[in-house]
Amino acid sequence: MVQLSTSVCLLGGFLGLLVIAPVLMASTPASMCTPLKTLNDSLSHRRRYMKHNFPINYSVRVYHEEIFKLTNISKLRLKVKELDELVLQRLWFQVNQGVLKKIIRVLPERHPSRSYAAELERRFQDVEGVFIQSHPSEVFQEELPETVQDIWDQLTEEPDRIADSSWRFASPKSLMDNLCHTMYCLFTECFASTEAQQDYCGVSHWRKGRKTTSLQTEVEPGE
Ligand SMILES: *[C@@H]1O[C@H](CO)[C@@H](O)[C@H](O)[C@H]1NC(C)=O
Ligand SMILES: *[C@@H]1O[C@H](CO)[C@@H](O)[C@H](O)[C@H]1NC(C)=O
Ligand SMILES: *[C@@H]1O[C@H](CO)[C@@H](O)[C@H](O)[C@H]1NC(C)=O
Protein backbone atom coordinates (compact mmCIF):
# COMPACT_ATOMS: atom_id res chain seq x y z
CA MET A 1 0.00 0.00 0.00
CA VAL A 2 2.72 2.38 1.03
CA GLN A 3 4.70 1.41 -1.99
CA LEU A 4 1.78 1.88 -4.27
CA SER A 5 1.08 5.36 -3.05
CA THR A 6 4.76 6.22 -3.29
CA SER A 7 4.88 5.19 -6.87
CA VAL A 8 1.65 6.97 -7.58
CA CYS A 9 3.23 10.03 -6.04
CA LEU A 10 6.35 9.60 -8.12
CA LEU A 11 4.34 9.08 -11.24
CA GLY A 12 2.21 12.09 -10.40
CA GLY A 13 5.31 14.15 -9.82
CA PHE A 14 6.78 12.97 -13.07
CA LEU A 15 3.65 13.79 -15.04
CA GLY A 16 3.53 17.11 -13.25
CA LEU A 17 7.01 17.88 -14.49
CA LEU A 18 6.03 16.98 -18.00
CA VAL A 19 3.10 19.32 -17.83
CA ILE A 20 5.04 22.15 -16.20
CA ALA A 21 8.14 21.91 -18.37
CA PRO A 22 6.71 23.42 -21.55
CA VAL A 23 5.15 26.21 -19.54
CA LEU A 24 8.51 27.09 -18.01
CA MET A 25 10.19 26.89 -21.37
CA ALA A 26 7.82 29.21 -23.18
CA SER A 27 9.46 32.56 -22.68
CA THR A 28 6.31 34.62 -22.95
CA PRO A 29 3.39 33.89 -20.62
CA ALA A 30 0.18 33.62 -22.64
CA SER A 31 -1.43 36.24 -20.41
CA MET A 32 0.89 38.85 -21.93
CA CYS A 33 -0.48 38.39 -25.44
CA THR A 34 -3.62 40.47 -25.04
CA PRO A 35 -1.88 43.59 -23.68
CA LEU A 36 0.95 43.13 -26.18
CA LYS A 37 -1.49 43.05 -29.05
CA THR A 38 -3.24 46.13 -27.72
CA LEU A 39 0.13 47.87 -27.65
CA ASN A 40 0.81 46.66 -31.19
CA ASP A 41 -2.49 48.14 -32.33
CA SER A 42 -1.48 51.53 -31.00
CA LEU A 43 1.96 51.23 -32.55
CA SER A 44 0.40 50.78 -35.97
CA HIS A 45 -0.35 54.54 -35.97
CA ARG A 46 3.20 55.52 -35.16
CA ARG A 47 4.04 56.95 -38.57
CA ARG A 48 1.35 59.56 -38.26
CA TYR A 49 1.86 60.49 -34.63
CA MET A 50 5.58 59.98 -34.29
CA LYS A 51 6.67 61.34 -37.64
CA HIS A 52 4.12 63.45 -39.51
CA ASN A 53 3.22 65.45 -36.43
CA PHE A 54 6.83 66.39 -35.87
CA PRO A 55 9.05 68.83 -37.74
CA ILE A 56 11.17 67.18 -40.44
CA ASN A 57 14.24 65.47 -38.98
CA TYR A 58 13.09 66.13 -35.44
CA SER A 59 15.09 64.11 -32.98
CA VAL A 60 15.07 63.36 -29.30
CA ARG A 61 18.15 63.12 -27.13
CA VAL A 62 18.53 59.65 -25.64
CA TYR A 63 21.18 57.55 -23.91
CA HIS A 64 23.03 55.52 -26.47
CA GLU A 65 21.85 52.34 -24.70
CA GLU A 66 18.32 53.46 -25.46
CA ILE A 67 18.94 52.69 -29.10
CA PHE A 68 18.02 49.07 -28.78
CA LYS A 69 17.53 47.25 -32.06
CA LEU A 70 17.42 43.73 -33.38
CA THR A 71 21.16 43.84 -34.00
CA ASN A 72 21.71 44.56 -30.31
CA ILE A 73 19.71 41.47 -29.44
CA SER A 74 21.64 39.22 -31.79
CA LYS A 75 24.95 40.65 -30.56
CA LEU A 76 23.98 40.06 -26.94
CA ARG A 77 22.90 36.52 -27.71
CA LEU A 78 26.30 35.85 -29.26
CA LYS A 79 28.22 37.54 -26.52
CA VAL A 80 26.47 36.22 -23.43
CA LYS A 81 26.40 32.47 -23.04
CA GLU A 82 23.01 30.93 -22.33
CA LEU A 83 21.38 34.31 -22.22
CA ASP A 84 17.93 33.93 -20.72
CA GLU A 85 15.09 35.31 -22.84
CA LEU A 86 13.65 36.79 -19.67
CA VAL A 87 16.77 38.91 -19.21
CA LEU A 88 16.35 40.37 -22.70
CA GLN A 89 12.69 41.01 -21.99
CA ARG A 90 13.57 42.85 -18.76
CA LEU A 91 16.08 44.91 -20.70
CA TRP A 92 13.42 45.72 -23.31
CA PHE A 93 11.12 47.10 -20.61
CA GLN A 94 13.92 49.08 -18.99
CA VAL A 95 15.03 50.63 -22.28
CA ASN A 96 11.60 51.51 -23.58
CA GLN A 97 10.13 52.98 -20.43
CA GLY A 98 12.98 55.51 -20.62
CA VAL A 99 12.44 56.09 -24.33
CA LEU A 100 8.71 56.73 -23.91
CA LYS A 101 9.38 59.14 -21.02
CA LYS A 102 11.84 61.09 -23.14
CA ILE A 103 9.42 61.39 -26.03
CA ILE A 104 6.57 62.50 -23.77
CA ARG A 105 8.82 65.04 -22.11
CA VAL A 106 9.43 66.92 -25.36
CA LEU A 107 5.74 67.10 -26.22
CA PRO A 108 3.89 70.19 -24.99
CA GLU A 109 0.53 69.54 -23.36
CA ARG A 110 -1.38 70.54 -26.50
CA HIS A 111 0.78 68.85 -29.09
CA PRO A 112 -1.36 66.64 -31.39
CA SER A 113 0.78 63.60 -30.49
CA ARG A 114 0.71 64.12 -26.78
CA SER A 115 -2.28 61.94 -25.98
CA TYR A 116 -1.08 59.28 -28.42
CA ALA A 117 2.27 59.10 -26.65
CA ALA A 118 0.54 58.94 -23.29
CA GLU A 119 -1.64 56.11 -24.57
CA LEU A 120 1.42 54.21 -25.77
CA GLU A 121 3.00 54.61 -22.38
CA ARG A 122 -0.13 53.42 -20.61
CA ARG A 123 -0.39 50.35 -22.81
CA PHE A 124 3.29 49.68 -22.39
CA GLN A 125 2.82 49.81 -18.61
CA ASP A 126 -0.12 47.43 -18.89
CA VAL A 127 2.15 44.91 -20.59
CA GLU A 128 4.80 45.42 -17.94
CA GLY A 129 2.24 44.92 -15.18
CA VAL A 130 1.24 41.54 -16.57
CA PHE A 131 4.90 40.65 -17.17
CA ILE A 132 5.74 41.28 -13.51
CA GLN A 133 2.63 39.52 -12.25
CA SER A 134 3.22 36.42 -14.29
CA HIS A 135 6.69 35.67 -12.94
CA PRO A 136 7.71 34.90 -9.37
CA SER A 137 9.25 38.02 -7.84
CA GLU A 138 12.58 36.24 -7.27
CA VAL A 139 13.36 36.19 -10.97
CA PHE A 140 13.55 39.96 -10.91
CA GLN A 141 16.15 39.83 -8.18
CA GLU A 142 18.38 37.41 -10.02
CA GLU A 143 21.77 38.71 -10.93
CA LEU A 144 22.11 39.84 -14.51
CA PRO A 145 24.96 38.73 -16.74
CA GLU A 146 27.77 41.27 -16.50
CA THR A 147 27.33 42.65 -20.02
CA VAL A 148 23.64 43.25 -19.40
CA GLN A 149 24.26 44.70 -15.94
CA ASP A 150 26.65 47.24 -17.48
CA ILE A 151 23.95 48.35 -19.93
CA TRP A 152 21.42 48.45 -17.10
CA ASP A 153 23.69 50.65 -14.99
CA GLN A 154 24.02 53.12 -17.84
CA LEU A 155 20.27 53.15 -18.42
CA THR A 156 19.57 53.97 -14.80
CA GLU A 157 22.28 56.61 -14.52
CA GLU A 158 21.28 60.19 -13.70
CA PRO A 159 21.18 62.35 -16.86
CA ASP A 160 23.62 64.87 -15.40
CA ARG A 161 26.19 62.14 -14.97
CA ILE A 162 26.06 61.12 -18.63
CA ALA A 163 29.03 62.33 -20.63
CA ASP A 164 28.21 64.58 -23.59
CA SER A 165 29.68 62.03 -25.97
CA SER A 166 27.32 59.34 -24.71
CA TRP A 167 24.14 61.00 -25.85
CA ARG A 168 22.54 60.13 -29.16
CA PHE A 169 19.86 61.80 -31.23
CA ALA A 170 17.10 59.69 -32.70
CA SER A 171 13.76 60.45 -34.28
CA PRO A 172 10.70 59.47 -32.27
CA LYS A 173 9.57 57.30 -35.19
CA SER A 174 12.83 55.35 -35.31
CA LEU A 175 12.69 54.81 -31.56
CA MET A 176 9.15 53.44 -31.87
CA ASP A 177 10.24 51.26 -34.80
CA ASN A 178 12.94 49.82 -32.56
CA LEU A 179 10.44 49.24 -29.78
CA CYS A 180 8.09 47.51 -32.19
CA HIS A 181 10.58 45.28 -34.01
CA THR A 182 12.29 44.13 -30.84
CA MET A 183 8.87 43.46 -29.30
CA TYR A 184 8.02 41.02 -32.11
CA CYS A 185 11.38 39.32 -31.60
CA LEU A 186 11.31 39.04 -27.81
CA PHE A 187 7.63 38.13 -27.46
CA THR A 188 7.45 36.00 -30.58
CA GLU A 189 4.90 33.55 -29.15
CA CYS A 190 2.29 36.31 -29.14
CA PHE A 191 2.97 37.44 -32.70
CA ALA A 192 3.94 34.32 -34.57
CA SER A 193 1.62 33.79 -37.47
CA THR A 194 0.34 30.31 -38.14
CA GLU A 195 0.93 30.32 -41.89
CA ALA A 196 4.57 31.20 -42.13
CA GLN A 197 7.30 30.69 -39.61
CA GLN A 198 8.41 34.30 -39.37
CA ASP A 199 11.79 35.17 -38.06
CA TYR A 200 11.02 38.41 -36.30
CA CYS A 201 14.50 38.49 -34.79
CA GLY A 202 16.20 38.49 -38.16
CA VAL A 203 17.18 41.94 -39.31
CA SER A 204 16.54 40.79 -42.88
CA HIS A 205 12.88 40.27 -42.03
CA TRP A 206 12.42 44.04 -41.91
CA ARG A 207 14.78 44.80 -44.79
CA LYS A 208 12.75 42.49 -46.98
CA GLY A 209 9.59 44.16 -45.74
CA ARG A 210 10.68 47.42 -47.32
CA LYS A 211 10.06 46.05 -50.75
CA THR A 212 6.66 44.54 -50.09
CA THR A 213 3.48 46.51 -49.85
CA SER A 214 1.93 44.71 -46.91
CA LEU A 215 4.51 46.05 -44.50
CA GLN A 216 4.72 49.51 -45.89
CA THR A 217 2.95 51.09 -43.01
CA GLU A 218 5.48 49.70 -40.60
CA VAL A 219 8.74 50.06 -42.41
CA GLU A 220 10.30 52.86 -44.27
CA PRO A 221 13.66 53.51 -45.85
CA GLY A 222 16.23 55.71 -44.25
CA GLU A 223 15.59 55.01 -40.59
C1 LIG B 1 0.43 44.49 -35.30
O1 LIG B 1 -0.65 45.33 -35.61
C2 LIG B 1 -0.80 45.57 -36.98
C3 LIG B 1 -1.87 46.63 -37.16
O2 LIG B 1 -2.93 46.47 -36.26
C4 LIG B 1 -1.15 44.29 -37.68
O3 LIG B 1 -1.32 44.49 -39.06
C5 LIG B 1 -0.01 43.32 -37.47
O4 LIG B 1 -0.34 42.07 -38.03
C6 LIG B 1 0.30 43.17 -36.01
N1 LIG B 1 1.56 42.49 -35.95
C7 LIG B 1 1.68 41.29 -35.49
C8 LIG B 1 3.04 40.71 -35.61
O5 LIG B 1 0.75 40.67 -35.00
C1 LIG C 1 16.84 66.21 -43.02
O1 LIG C 1 17.95 65.34 -43.03
C2 LIG C 1 18.40 65.00 -44.31
C3 LIG C 1 19.48 63.94 -44.20
O2 LIG C 1 20.36 64.25 -43.18
C4 LIG C 1 18.88 66.28 -45.03
O3 LIG C 1 19.33 65.96 -46.31
C5 LIG C 1 17.73 67.26 -45.10
O4 LIG C 1 18.17 68.47 -45.65
C6 LIG C 1 17.15 67.52 -43.72
N1 LIG C 1 15.93 68.31 -43.85
C7 LIG C 1 15.69 69.39 -43.11
C8 LIG C 1 14.41 70.11 -43.40
O5 LIG C 1 16.45 69.78 -42.23
C1 LIG D 1 22.91 48.89 -29.51
O1 LIG D 1 23.91 49.10 -30.45
C2 LIG D 1 24.26 50.46 -30.63
C3 LIG D 1 25.24 50.52 -31.77
O2 LIG D 1 26.21 49.55 -31.67
C4 LIG D 1 24.83 51.01 -29.33
O3 LIG D 1 25.15 52.38 -29.46
C5 LIG D 1 23.79 50.85 -28.24
O4 LIG D 1 24.33 51.26 -27.00
C6 LIG D 1 23.35 49.39 -28.14
N1 LIG D 1 22.24 49.32 -27.21
C7 LIG D 1 22.24 48.51 -26.15
C8 LIG D 1 21.03 48.52 -25.30
O5 LIG D 1 23.17 47.78 -25.89
Side-chain angles (χ1 to χ4, degrees), residues 102 126 139 146 173 200:
K102 288 188 176 64
D126 288 345
V139 305
E146 198 183 330
K173 167 72 165 48
Y200 287 122

Side-chain angles (χ1 to χ4, degrees), residues 40-41 44 184 191 200 218:
N40 178 52
D41 286 345
S44 65
Y184 295 152
F191 294 106
Y200 287 122
E218 295 179 357

Side-chain angles (χ1 to χ4, degrees), residues 5-16:
S5 59
T6 309
S7 53
V8 166
C9 262
L10 282 176
L11 182 66
F14 180 64
L15 287 176

